[in-house]
């Protein structure tokens, strides 16, 4: 996962490709406590096997971090600061 991210960074630095490259990270938001708790297993796998750590956010931290979310609508989330998105 990390090596493909580095390749995208290299490619977009070397080539003038007109695309929407957003390297500001990725946010997973969970509505229910059960879904939030279940994702902890996925986060542990990504952390241990792929060295892709996330920041675990409580509902209050998530609401402070992302103002578009409504109070009472989330249980928590995970933020992957090292992730990016591409939309050609």
């Amino acid at each position: 996962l990390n090596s493909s991210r580095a390749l995208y960074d290299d490619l977009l630095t070397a080539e003038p490709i007109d695309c929407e490259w957003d390297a500001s990270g990725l946010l997973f938001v969970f509505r229910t406590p059960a879904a939030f708790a279940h994702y902890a297993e996925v986060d542990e796998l990504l952390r241990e096997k792929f060295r892709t750590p996330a920041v675990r956010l409580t509902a209050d931290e998530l609401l402070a971090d992302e103002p578009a979310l409504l109070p009472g609508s989330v249980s928590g989330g995970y933020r992957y600061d090292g992730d990016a998105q591409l939309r050609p």
Side-chain angles (χ1 to χ4, degrees):
L1 295 175
N2 291 325
S3 63
S4 63
R5 167 62 199 275
L7 289 172
Y8 274 108
D9 287 336
D10 292 346
L11 173 66
L12 294 169
T13 299
E15 299 292 329
I17 299 172
D18 184 19
C19 65
E20 295 178 32
W21 177 247
D22 180 7
S24 63
L26 179 63
L27 183 63
F28 285 97
V29 178
F30 299 93
R31 288 185 180 199
T32 67
F36 185 41
H38 178 73
Y39 190 80
E41 296 173 23
V42 175
D43 177 60
E44 183 177 341
L45 174 74
L46 291 171
R47 184 180 304 273
E48 290 180 6
K49 300 292 183 184
F50 298 100
R51 296 183 314 275
T52 306
V55 177
R56 183 182 185 276
L57 301 168
T58 65
D60 289 338
E61 292 168 330
L62 187 56
L63 292 170
D65 195 49
E66 179 51 66
L69 298 171
L70 298 173
S73 68
V74 299
S75 291
Y78 286 86
R79 187 181 67 231
Y80 291 89
D81 293 324
D83 211 331
Q85 294 118 89
L86 173 68
R87 227 172 48 161

